[in-house]
Amino acid sequence: MSRLYGEKEDIDSEEVKNFFSERASRDLESDLSIVLFQDKENSEQRHIEEKKLFHEHIDVDGKKVLEVGCGIGRWAEALHNKCESFLGIDYTEDLIKIANNSYDFDDCKFQVMSATDIKEDELLIEPPFDVIIFSGVLMYINDEDIKVVFNELNKIGVEDKKLFIMEPVSRMGERLTLKDFYSEGLEADYSAIYRTEEEYRELFECLNYNKIFADDIFEELSDHSETHYKYFVIE
Ligand SMILES: C[S@@+](CC[C@H](N)C(=O)[O-])C[C@H]1O[C@@H](n2cnc3c(N)ncnc32)[C@H](O)[C@@H]1O
């Protein structure tokens, strides 16, 4: 049970999966609360703001979209009828079940698959993808594994793919890793990596891209002095 500053310490991916599985079985106010960690009202508000932000930056008209770590599938609700097709993959089976029960759109599919073991031939929507989304997911994936994921995306994304990445980052000039840390707010042991923006930019080097736009979001929602939310549009 630790809170580590600066050190590059791996977290256990299986424990993260168990954490989300367990949250899926809780009697929470809304499904959005499972993945957004806030009450119903704040989760709904945040979902609305994130959708708006996304559409300000990315036009999905006629595009194939892949969301890696899609959780309960809420981005399908934002994108269906706008994109050509949407595929959400996630390694937490209980969340994919919720996604399939909640969002039954012809142009959207959800699939149990780990980000670090993307099986190109088994994807329910055939690559290549034009737009790729990570929303609160890279924080649960270790550095070396992120490189594996990004290298795979270079294969299953089009040459001029766009990525929309939204993650909490450290504001302390060094990363913070929570490793099996008991969170009173979440009432569970919790593991996550809050990298610095510079560390993320270094990892993005694995992607073939021309430019990155980055900005802060949800300053008003943030009650954490050590971290804040940032989004990146990479193309
Ligand atoms: C905070 S939730 C965000 C869910 C969704 N992206 C959203 O914005 O609503 C993090 C999600 O990442 C998924 N996840 C974490 N590591 C993963 C991995 N290695 N492969 C697939 N999914 C992963 C979890 O199962 C969980 O659904």
Side-chain angles (χ1 to χ4, degrees), residues 20 35 67 69-71 74-75 90-92 95 114-115 135-137 140:
F20 280 104
V35 289
E67 184 187 0
C70 65
R74 67 189 176 101
W75 281 95
D90 199 293
Y91 71 171
T92 307
L95 296 184
S114 171
S135 157
V137 173
Y140 303 113

